[in-house]
Amino acid sequence: MTLYGVGLGPGDAGLITVRGREVLENADEVYTPGRLSRAVATEYVDDEQLGDLDFPMTRDEEKLREAWKDAAAEVAPVAEEGTAAFVTLGDPNVYSTFGHLRRTLDRFHPEVDLEIIPGVSTVTAFATALDVEITAGSELALREADNGASPTGPDRMVLFKVTDVPATHEGLVEAGYDVTYGRRLFMENHESIVTDDPEALTERDYYTVAYAEQPGTGEKPATAAFGTETTADGGVVSEELATAESVGDEIYDD
């Protein structure tokens, strides 16, 4: 049958898609790669549906490959005989562990059909949480900033895995960026933090993102002029006069 890669969204169980919820509720077995994704999945999955996979905390590539081969061997029979799901925070194709499982299955279990259910990723969720509007025509780069890295170059960047905020902040400010940080955005049972103060985020946390922008970047959209000046009667008049005219204020009548 099928293995579904299901994006759970940024961590709030209410932000999973309707399709994702349907897949989880009907899957024979649901596998999770960590505690946070498991906590979201359990909102829609009975305990007897949950499957356990063991992923070692290591950078040893050989050990990681062996772990993913074992995981694929566990998942494949369930997916062949029925329906299995592998869940991940965010979207399965954006900075996700699902890619490892998909590549391993493609190599060792090509008979398994795969289908991806997209989820709300940090790439889009951060914009709402940090109140950032990405306007038409904007260019936005995605970068990792683990262990104090301060990537520069593009005018606008979203940085993931900002584990050493003070060090990253120092490099970005020196390069001329304005920076806002978000930690554990939309995660249930966790405090979400949005700040431009790096000293508020000195504790290392994998689930920290940053938005960095060079001042004056990009063109302003046409509607940005509203509230500053308005064209009326063939000329440019102040906001105060334009507002008064729109409501018929007699003190401005000729």
Side-chain angles (χ1 to χ4, degrees):
M1 295 286 284
T2 304
L3 169 67
Y4 291 90
V6 181
L8 297 176
D12 182 339
L15 292 178
I16 189 173
T17 65
V18 174
R19 176 61 174 151
R21 176 176 179 171
E22 291 174 346
V23 167
L24 295 185
E25 290 176 339
N26 292 289
D28 297 310
E29 197 143 7
V30 176
Y31 299 93
T32 65
R35 290 184 297 105
L36 291 175
S37 58
R38 191 183 188 91
V40 178
T42 52
E43 293 289 324
Y44 304 106
V45 178
D46 295 329
D47 288 341
E48 57 268 23
Q49 288 177 268
L50 289 170
D52 293 319
L53 297 175
D54 183 28
F55 300 109
M57 298 296 291
T58 179
R59 292 181 179 272
D60 186 311
E61 292 190 356
E62 186 59 36
K63 290 182 179 179
L64 288 172
R65 282 191 288 267
E66 286 301 317
W68 282 107
K69 285 175 66 176
D70 291 343
E74 173 76 20
V75 171
V78 179
E80 290 177 37
E81 297 175 7
T83 299
F86 182 90
V87 299
T88 178
L89 292 178
D91 184 277
N93 276 347
V94 181
Y95 287 89
S96 165
T97 55
F98 179 73
H100 295 302
L101 181 60
R102 180 175 62 182
R103 285 185 289 272
T104 308
L105 287 168
D106 284 344
R107 173 64 180 84
F108 297 102
H109 305 276
E111 68 280 0
V112 174
D113 293 328
L114 296 173
E115 183 174 334
I116 296 175
I117 309 299
V120 178
S121 76
T122 305
V123 178
T124 51
F126 94 92
T128 296
L130 275 61
D131 195 23
V132 172
E133 181 186 6
I134 309 300
T135 57
S138 297
E139 295 183 359
L140 185 67
L142 308 180
R143 297 286 190 271
E144 284 194 15
D146 196 10
N147 293 320
S150 301
T152 59
D155 291 333
R156 296 185 183 91
M157 297 184 294
V158 178
L159 308 180
F160 295 89
K161 305 179 185 178
V162 189
T163 55
D164 188 341
V165 171
T168 295
H169 187 82
E170 182 178 359
L172 291 173
V173 170
E174 287 181 357
Y177 288 92
D178 293 332
V179 193
T180 305
Y181 300 92
R183 174 165 289 179
R184 298 196 172 237
L185 303 175
F186 297 104
M187 288 189 176
E188 291 185 343
N189 303 317
H190 293 273
E191 180 187 6
S192 292
I193 301 174
V194 176
T195 181
D196 58 6
D197 179 10
E199 296 305 315
L201 300 173
T202 55
E203 183 178 349
R204 297 173 68 90
D205 192 309
Y206 178 87
Y207 295 101
T208 303
V209 299
Y211 175 66
E213 179 179 274
Q214 292 282 1
T217 295
E219 298 181 3
K220 292 184 178 180
T223 47
F226 291 147
T228 56
E229 56 184 24
T230 306
T231 301
D233 295 330
V236 176
V237 297
S238 68
E239 178 189 12
E240 182 182 8
L241 176 56
T243 301
E245 288 181 340
S246 69
V247 298
D249 195 329
E250 292 183 356
I251 67 172
Y252 288 98
D253 287 347
D254 291 332

